[in-house]
Amino acid sequence: MSAPGVDALIEALGIDVDPELLVLSLTHRSFAHEAGGIPTNERLEFLGDAVLGIIVTEHLYRTHPDNSEGDLAKMRSATVSQRALSAVARELGLGEYLLLGRGERGTGGHDKDSILCDTMEAVIGAVYLCHGLEPTRTFVERLVGPTLESAAGLGAGLDWKTSVQELAAARSVGAPTYQVDSSGPDHERHFTATLYLGERAWGVGDGTSKKIAEQRAAENAYRALEADEATASASTDQ
């Protein structure tokens, strides 16, 4: 990466990072392989994942003294999830700085959640090596602060589709599928989504886009699954 590119990214990050470490944090294994086996960002990603985990865990522990271990774990999971970190990476414009091989570039690697998430962790690892824990804590809390605040109140609602998929897997009832119908003129389209687990419909949602309708269907299905589990547990206890 050229010096101007490094400087622009450092400005976007809002904290100084050693240029060589920063470039390493952006080096995907596909690029490293094509470049003759140079180092990748995977070791920095490993470090950054651990640093991120302790910072978020401590923050949640200190700021939510009345929450249970299970609640704190859910909030941490939502905050450090692939979805959350890739969103942070997009806000920083990290994708345009990634060093990817030709194959990954050709398949839209610059905007893949998995690659953006891993790179974000690698950047955090680079910041930690340059500055230590406390400046990195400030950096991380600035980046994920909004997600931390949301996690306290939303829980599963941060992504109903993912949450219902995880709940369905835990209950071994199969993977969710969606049937989406639409009506109305093109400029005022209305969508209705139905979530199925096997042959049974568990939730219906509607909205002005397919994505909104599916999220609402997933929310209703999640609540129905929870209610069903509670009823089953009550019957077992009797």
Side-chain angles (χ1 to χ4, degrees):
M1 183 188 296
S2 65
V6 170
D7 292 342
L9 179 53
I10 289 174
E11 183 177 352
L13 294 173
I15 190 169
D16 287 333
V17 186
D18 176 83
E20 290 188 11
L21 267 180
L22 185 57
V23 171
L24 179 60
S25 74
L26 302 167
T27 304
H28 188 259
R29 62 178 175 270
S30 61
F31 181 90
H33 176 74
E34 291 183 6
I38 63 174
T40 75
N41 65 0
E42 291 175 358
R43 282 168 51 85
L44 277 176
E45 174 199 336
F46 171 77
L47 175 62
D49 176 65
V51 172
L52 174 66
I54 188 61
I55 290 172
V56 169
T57 300
E58 183 178 349
H59 178 93
L60 291 169
Y61 180 87
R62 292 185 182 280
T63 56
H64 299 282
D66 298 326
N67 287 74
S68 68
E69 178 271 343
D71 289 340
L72 294 176
K74 290 177 182 178
M75 286 189 279
R76 178 181 61 192
S77 177
T79 304
V80 303
S81 69
Q82 183 179 104
R83 171 180 171 271
L85 291 181
S86 62
V88 171
R90 288 189 179 94
E91 289 177 7
L92 292 170
L94 200 59
E96 64 183 278
Y97 300 101
L98 297 179
L99 298 176
L100 302 172
R102 289 186 296 274
E104 283 293 352
R105 290 200 303 271
T107 57
H110 287 87
D111 196 45
K112 287 183 180 177
D113 282 357
S114 59
I115 293 178
L116 288 171
C117 172
D118 291 346
T119 306
M120 194 68 251
E121 290 176 339
V123 169
I124 291 170
V127 171
Y128 175 77
L129 287 179
C130 291
H131 297 284
L133 185 58
E134 292 311 315
T136 306
R137 185 193 308 278
T138 301
F139 171 70
V140 167
E141 290 181 350
R142 172 167 55 84
L143 292 182
V144 304
T147 307
L148 278 167
E149 293 176 10
S150 298
L154 295 179
L158 287 171
D159 186 348
W160 289 113
K161 290 184 71 174
T162 298
S163 297
V164 76
Q165 182 174 340
E166 292 171 348
L167 184 58
R171 296 190 58 189
S172 301
V173 292
T177 59
Y178 295 84
Q179 177 183 315
V180 181
D181 299 309
S182 61
S183 60
D186 289 342
H187 67 279
E188 199 174 343
R189 209 73 175 157
H190 183 83
F191 296 83
T192 300
T194 305
L195 184 151
Y196 288 88
L197 293 170
E199 299 297 321
R200 179 176 173 181
W202 281 86
V204 178
D206 55 16
T208 55
S209 72
K210 178 181 176 182
K211 182 177 180 180
I212 291 173
E214 288 182 345
Q215 284 286 352
R216 289 175 177 169
E219 176 182 358
N220 290 329
Y222 185 94
R223 298 189 190 284
L225 280 167
E226 282 194 317
D228 185 70
E229 184 174 12
T231 300
S233 297
S235 299
T236 302
D237 292 340
Q238 292 178 355

